[in-house]
Amino acid sequence: MAATVVRGQNVDIRMWTRPDEVEEFAMQQLQNISALPWAVKHIAVMPDVHYGKGATVGSVIALRDAVSPAAVGVDIGCGMAAVRTSLTASDLPATLRGLRSRMEAVVPVGFGQHKATAFTERDAADWTPFWRKFDDLTPAVKARADKAMHQMGTLGGGNHFLEVCLDTDQQVWVMLHSGSRGIGNELAQHHIAAARKLAHNAELPDPDLAVFLAGTPEMAAYRHDLYWAQDYARRNRAVMLRLVCDVLRADFPHIRFEEPISCHHNYVSEENHFGEDVLVTRKGAIRAGRGELGIIPGSMGTGSYIVRGLGNPDSFESASHGAGRKMSRNKARKTFTTQDLAAQTSGVECRKDSGVVDEIPGAYKDIDTVMANQSDLVEVVAKLKQVVCIKG
């Protein structure tokens, strides 16, 4: 669909969804973001847009010499990874409960962490330099080094997941969604609080949108910690993918894996748009430069998509990060039952208890509608449907 332009305060708001379908609080957030004096050109709003802390989920913001940590989100570097295997549906056992159990045994979920570190030289050649950089992070997290090391290669909870999927050719994929775990959250919270105290943010319409300015010690400290956390999140997904692929290798010794696809969807990137160098924050959005592969998941009972970016300049070369919630977790728990969850996840080997009712497909927007709304942002490479879904 063509984007709809809504008049903003300092810049306009360009939306890949109908404005009347966006919740009132989210629209107010977008207006607040549009008032930022550092905003460039317009605010790009993805079709999975919904209310979030500080900045709206599904927003892409280009700022001149400034960055808002709330416009990145508290799970710095959250994103996706996926890999296509040589297996087909016919290779899988009739019941997938055993496979799910073996995957859960190697990837801790929820608040779980590894008893021993899970990263090895197989994942990257520079683990030692990476961990040495921990000493240069803000002193507020210095006591968290051991926890950060043992959470590397863990899933977390909420909307994070690990799946085995089939594409329309019945080829088996592994796909997962996770971020920078507790350490990324603590870094984000620290810097959001620090930004709120700066004098230049005193008159902003929403204190959570507080920014750091280029050339200041606060900006330098945030970007240092931010880029480390983004790297942590990328490595975290790579470690989990390796652990799950090892499970599949044990079950299927002749399995082969293609090159993995990986993308952040809560992050900052230094880019050039409309002839200007800017800092782009994508909160609930992936980069979709021309030819770039990305992953757009649905909910735990619906399909997901592997996509190729079309490089649309009006979206700052971005696309949605998923289906997007249409109701809060509290409302989902009040609206749906475990019987509803079982019905909506029929055919998927997954949890069907009250602990994940808030992740029921009915709490999310329709992923196919979301994809139709961004046909000028990405093209579909593959559609996937999960047969195993693991959640914390």
Side-chain angles (χ1 to χ4, degrees):
M1 65 176 286
T4 300
V5 179
V6 175
R7 182 62 61 91
Q9 298 182 52
N10 179 46
V11 296
D12 286 339
I13 303 166
R14 192 173 289 265
M15 310 182 71
W16 275 262
T17 188
R18 289 172 47 185
D20 61 355
E21 293 181 350
V22 179
E23 59 202 300
E24 180 182 353
F25 288 136
M27 281 299 300
Q28 184 57 57
Q29 280 189 324
L30 293 170
Q31 285 292 338
N32 291 342
I33 295 167
S34 77
L36 293 176
W38 309 276
V40 172
K41 197 65 176 179
H42 56 258
I43 308 302
V45 180
M46 302 297 100
D48 59 342
V49 60
H50 59 94
Y51 177 80
K53 179 176 173 56
T56 323
V57 178
S59 59
V60 183
I61 309 165
L63 297 183
R64 180 186 299 109
D65 297 328
V67 67
S68 169
V72 181
V74 294
D75 192 358
I76 298 171
C78 186
M80 301 288 303
V83 64
R84 187 173 186 255
T85 81
S86 60
L87 301 178
T88 63
S90 61
D91 295 314
L92 297 177
T95 176
L96 295 170
R97 181 160 297 182
L99 177 59
R100 173 189 160 197
S101 296
R102 288 188 292 278
M103 292 166 62
E104 289 174 331
V106 299
V107 176
V109 302
F111 293 104
Q113 59 187 41
H114 290 282
K115 294 180 180 178
T117 55
F119 50 90
T120 73
E121 67 281 356
R122 291 175 55 189
D123 304 306
D126 58 348
W127 279 104
T128 299
F130 170 75
W131 286 115
R132 283 176 180 162
K133 292 178 183 177
F134 191 97
D135 293 335
D136 298 326
L137 299 177
T138 175
V141 301
K142 287 298 176 65
R144 301 299 189 183
D146 186 70
K147 180 180 179 181
M149 293 183 76
H150 287 86
Q151 281 196 321
M152 175 65 73
T154 66
L155 190 66
N159 62 354
H160 293 164
F161 63 79
L162 169 58
E163 293 182 341
V164 176
C165 306
L166 300 177
D167 63 22
T168 51
D169 294 327
Q170 298 299 290
Q171 207 76 28
V172 174
W173 291 66
V174 176
M175 183 169 69
L176 59 89
H177 172 213
S178 191
S180 52
R181 305 298 288 110
I183 188 63
N185 185 294
E186 289 194 41
L187 288 169
Q189 299 283 10
H190 169 80
H191 287 289
I192 289 171
R196 290 173 61 114
K197 298 175 183 177
L198 298 175
H200 62 259
N201 293 314
E203 302 301 321
L204 294 180
D206 182 349
D208 279 330
L209 289 175
V211 305
F212 296 120
L213 298 179
T216 64
E218 294 87 358
M219 170 72 101
Y222 175 61
R223 290 177 70 174
H224 173 274
D225 292 357
L226 169 87
Y227 292 145
W228 185 89
Q230 289 180 182
D231 193 19
Y232 182 104
R234 177 186 62 81
R235 291 168 181 266
N236 183 46
R237 292 190 290 272
V239 171
M240 283 188 286
L241 204 59
R242 188 261 297 169
L243 292 170
V244 173
C245 288
D246 283 350
V247 169
L248 292 175
R249 283 191 185 95
D251 287 356
F252 309 96
H254 302 297
I255 191 173
R256 298 183 307 279
F257 300 94
E258 295 186 359
E259 188 69 21
I261 303 167
S262 181
C263 60
H264 291 318
H265 55 225
N266 282 13
Y267 74 113
V268 175
S269 180
E270 302 170 29
E271 300 177 11
N272 186 284
H273 293 279
F274 301 100
E276 186 168 357
D277 291 332
V278 290
L279 287 168
V280 178
T281 56
R282 294 183 176 91
K283 182 177 183 178
I286 63 170
R287 179 169 167 83
R290 182 166 294 279
E292 294 180 352
L293 292 176
I295 307 165
I296 302 177
S299 58
M300 64 188 290
T302 60
S304 298
Y305 288 88
I306 306 297
V307 299
R308 183 179 292 110
L310 298 178
N312 190 320
D314 287 336
S315 70
F316 300 106
E317 300 187 0
S318 307
S320 79
H321 83 311
R325 298 193 72 91
K326 68 179 181 182
M327 66 175 66
S328 69
R329 294 186 181 279
N330 284 336
K331 184 175 180 180
R333 294 187 191 103
K334 294 175 181 177
T335 303
F336 298 106
T337 66
T338 53
Q339 289 76 22
D340 296 323
L341 177 64
Q344 293 185 29
T345 59
S346 176
V348 181
E349 175 57 47
C350 64
R351 287 180 61 185
K352 301 179 192 287
D353 57 82
S354 59
V356 292
V357 165
D358 57 351
E359 281 293 299
I360 191 170
Y364 284 83
K365 298 178 182 179
D366 178 68
I367 184 63
D368 293 321
T369 301
V370 167
M371 294 303 298
N373 286 351
Q374 58 186 340
S375 59
D376 60 337
L377 306 184
V378 294
E379 61 183 0
V380 174
V381 174
K383 182 175 183 179
L384 312 183
K385 176 68 173 70
Q386 66 271 76
V387 290
V388 175
C389 178
I390 294 170
K391 280 188 173 287

